[in-house]
Amino acid sequence: MGRFIIRQMQTEEIPIYVNEIFSVLAGNMRTIAPTGNTYEKDYEIWLKHAVSAWREEKNRVILMFDGDVLCGYFQYSVNDKTFRMEEIQFQKEYQGSGLFAELYRYLITIIPADTKYVDAFANKRNIKSQEILKHLGLSVVGENKNGKSLHFKGAYKTLAERYSVE
């Protein structure tokens, strides 16, 4: 790998990193999709849903560090041969730093080799995320239930080949 330390968060580390993770998310969401809530209210809502999914291991979290600084995180799950990219957030100063490519090179080493599909959702207002998903080889296949996000899907093999270090 390169300059970043990328690793899976362990369940016992949740209390250590939960505030930092939310801080990264909140910094980006103020620009991408502001809720109109206070920081505290957004934290309360997020904490209820995200942390319970982590504790139950429905979703896994990858932490990304530059030295001791948490510069981003990635939340995902793998079910029924589908790798679902739940959420990826980088602090603004790390966007365009090469961290994204390092993350995906790491991911293909831990995602089961028999995975067939990759999918994700992107807010319709978040053009940057949509472009990234298209760059990863995913295509729009529908919308979420409330119509605010696009559903993307593609072949995991395409993603794995793109980021293979062989």
Side-chain angles (χ1 to χ4, degrees):
M1 299 267 168
R3 82 179 234 215
F4 300 103
I5 299 166
I6 301 174
R7 66 176 179 78
Q8 190 93 45
M9 180 175 70
Q10 302 303 309
T11 304
E12 62 272 9
E13 294 180 297
I14 293 171
I16 298 168
Y17 292 107
V18 69
N19 291 331
E20 285 183 86
I21 290 170
F22 183 75
S23 179
V24 173
L25 171 66
N28 290 332
M29 295 313 287
R30 270 179 263 160
T31 303
I32 298 167
T35 64
N37 295 332
T38 63
Y39 183 93
E40 293 76 16
K41 183 64 176 175
D42 281 342
Y43 180 76
E44 177 186 323
I45 293 166
W46 173 81
L47 190 64
K48 179 181 175 183
H49 298 288
V51 174
S52 65
W54 300 344
R55 287 191 195 284
E56 296 168 19
E57 296 188 1
K58 291 180 183 174
N59 292 337
R60 303 291 300 196
V61 177
I62 304 292
L63 300 174
M64 298 168 274
F65 295 90
D66 184 2
D68 293 335
V69 175
L70 180 70
C71 50
Y73 71 95
F74 177 73
Q75 184 175 199
Y76 73 97
S77 63
V78 180
N79 297 306
D80 301 321
K81 308 251 188 251
T82 299
F83 166 48
R84 171 158 291 168
M85 300 183 293
E86 298 284 347
E87 182 174 38
I88 185 169
Q89 298 289 337
F90 299 118
Q91 289 189 36
K92 287 183 185 6
E93 56 268 25
Y94 290 96
Q95 295 175 6
S97 67
L99 179 56
F100 185 88
E102 280 194 47
L103 168 65
Y104 277 84
R105 284 191 294 273
Y106 172 77
L107 285 169
I108 65 167
T109 69
I110 64 169
I111 301 299
D114 65 344
T115 301
K116 300 270 187 225
Y117 305 103
V118 58
D119 78 352
F121 289 86
N123 187 292
K124 287 181 177 179
R125 296 184 302 184
N126 191 341
I127 303 304
K128 186 175 182 179
S129 289
Q130 293 173 38
E131 292 302 317
I132 290 169
L133 293 173
K134 290 175 186 173
H135 174 75
L136 292 174
L138 282 65
S139 301
V140 175
V141 295
E143 297 181 351
N144 68 342
K145 291 178 185 174
N146 68 15
K148 292 183 180 180
S149 295
L150 297 172
H151 182 199
F152 287 79
K153 192 166 188 167
Y156 178 72
K157 181 180 177 182
T158 302
L159 184 70
E161 288 172 353
R162 175 170 288 150
Y163 290 98
S164 176
V165 286
E166 295 175 19

